[in-house]
Amino acid sequence: MEQNILKLDPKLKLVYVWQQPVRIFHWVNALAVLMLCITGYLIGAPLAIQHGTEASFNYWFGIIRAIHFIAGYVFFFNFIFRLYWGFVGNEYSKWDNYVPYKKKQWKGIWEVLKVDIFQLKLGPYETIGHNSLASTTYFMTFIAFIFQSLTGFGLYAAMSPSWFPKLFSWFVPLVGGDMAARHLHHLLMWVFILFAMIHIYLVFYHDYIERNGVTSSMIGGWKFIEVNEDEDKMNED
Ligand code: HEM
Ligand code: HEM
């Protein structure tokens, strides 16, 4: 525990919060979601692009779909890896931070809402890992990831010769067939776009009010935490 903490000044500590696997998951996921939103949007609303007279010159839509499916595999296995890391990772990345089953977490959600939404409190509500509102939102995003994978691979089962997507084919009839699965898949894209917009805004907002380096923590892993001196003494004892 102590070797993860470097002292900077009597009041500030540098805490190693996001281990490398969490950071790699985050950026691979962000990139995959970006590619999937761009290519998925084009699959849903194809452009009438034509260049050249040969059919092989007009294969751009096939390439868009291929990128979507490759990014789909990357997105899925990266997510499975993150689920595994929720069991073996450090105290900040463990699954029990994300599932809001403790009273303390609901109190935390209210405290953050007071700062972020209702502006009842101007000062920051400091936490070392994700705050309770953020982690609960990530939990809901992870559930949406599961539905996106089930509908995505479920739809892919009908057009892929591979055995893997076939494992998901049972899900399509369960939601009412191809069209319904496609609608759900499409709707979730907008959920991710909305999430990403609010997420990026809040990351920078919290960086600004807390001044603890939250944005760069997803790159380097470390956050600056102001330490209460009594607590510090207790840790040293
Ligand atoms: C963040 C994740 C994803 C997003 C935002 C996304 C988005 C979309 C969108 C918007 C469509 C078009 C739906 C329509 O309006 O008709 C689509 C189609 C599709 N997606 Fe995804 N998708 C994601 C993940 C996946 C995954 C993991 C797979 C699994 C391979 C997948 C496979 C498919 C398939 C098979 C289609 C139908 C392709 C076609 O009919 O040509 N998607 N996706
Ligand atoms: C410029 C873009 C982005 C930046 C700067 C960024 C930054 C961050 C930061 C600093 C955190 C930790 C914040 C906290 O403690 O609550 C975080 C967490 C997270 N972000 Fe992003 N993010 C970006 C884009 C995205 C996108 C596009 C997605 C995908 C939908 C995404 C999904 C997540 C998830 C799921 C977590 C929780 C990670 C975990 O606990 O494993 N982020 N992000």
Side-chain angles (χ1 to χ4, degrees):
M1 187 64 199
E2 269 307 289
Q3 83 239 29
N4 287 343
I5 301 174
L6 288 177
K7 275 199 179 167
L8 275 188
D9 103 359
K11 282 228 183 104
L12 272 191
K13 270 183 178 174
L14 202 48
V15 185
Y16 188 57
V17 182
W18 307 122
Q19 294 160 293
Q20 204 175 43
V22 175
R23 278 136 54 206
I24 293 175
F25 156 78
H26 179 271
W27 294 112
V28 170
N29 180 63
L31 199 69
V33 170
L34 180 69
M35 297 302 287
L36 286 159
C37 287
I38 296 171
T39 51
Y41 182 84
L42 288 170
I43 293 170
L47 298 170
I49 299 178
Q50 211 175 0
H51 49 88
T53 43
E54 291 290 327
S56 57
F57 293 150
N58 288 305
Y59 196 63
W60 73 272
F61 194 68
I63 294 168
I64 295 287
R65 288 177 77 227
I67 297 174
H68 194 80
F69 304 146
I70 295 166
Y73 272 100
V74 171
F75 165 83
F76 179 73
F77 285 105
N78 187 48
F79 173 54
I80 296 294
F81 172 77
R82 181 64 183 88
L83 292 183
Y84 158 76
W85 201 257
F87 292 94
V88 300
N90 70 6
E91 61 189 295
Y92 309 110
S93 51
K94 282 244 161 64
W95 67 269
D96 64 341
N97 291 296
Y98 297 80
V99 188
Y101 68 100
K102 289 176 249 167
K103 209 169 153 195
K104 200 174 122 211
Q105 287 162 306
W106 287 101
K107 190 172 173 294
I109 291 177
W110 173 237
E111 291 301 325
V112 183
L113 281 175
K114 277 204 287 200
V115 179
D116 287 8
I117 307 286
F118 302 116
Q119 306 217 320
L120 292 170
K121 212 178 134 202
L122 292 177
Y125 176 70
E126 307 259 7
T127 47
I128 301 182
H130 301 309
N131 68 52
S132 297
L133 181 64
S135 51
T136 306
T137 313
Y138 301 143
F139 175 57
M140 291 191 289
T141 312
F142 289 157
I143 293 182
F145 284 173
I146 295 176
F147 278 97
Q148 196 66 337
S149 305
L150 288 171
T151 49
F153 280 105
L155 288 168
Y156 195 34
M159 51 187 98
S160 162
S162 158
W163 60 272
F164 185 76
K166 306 256 185 292
L167 300 176
F168 298 79
S169 54
W170 55 272
F171 189 71
V172 173
L174 207 70
V175 289
D178 265 15
M179 211 51 211
R182 242 183 130 132
H183 279 148
L184 183 57
H185 196 75
H186 192 116
L187 183 76
L188 284 172
M189 172 186 69
W190 288 109
V191 170
F192 296 137
I193 292 174
L194 198 67
F195 163 84
M197 285 162 69
I198 300 173
H199 171 64
I200 295 167
Y201 164 73
L202 282 179
V203 163
F204 287 105
Y205 176 67
H206 278 263
D207 205 318
Y208 174 69
I209 59 168
E210 288 166 12
R211 302 194 179 264
N212 58 6
V214 62
T215 313
S216 61
S217 73
M218 230 353 130
I219 298 170
W222 300 80
K223 267 169 102 172
F224 301 92
I225 308 292
E226 196 162 330
V227 182
N228 163 336
E229 266 158 33
D230 298 339
E231 201 182 291
D232 202 20
K233 270 217 180 72
M234 268 164 50
N235 289 339
E236 275 167 14
D237 290 343

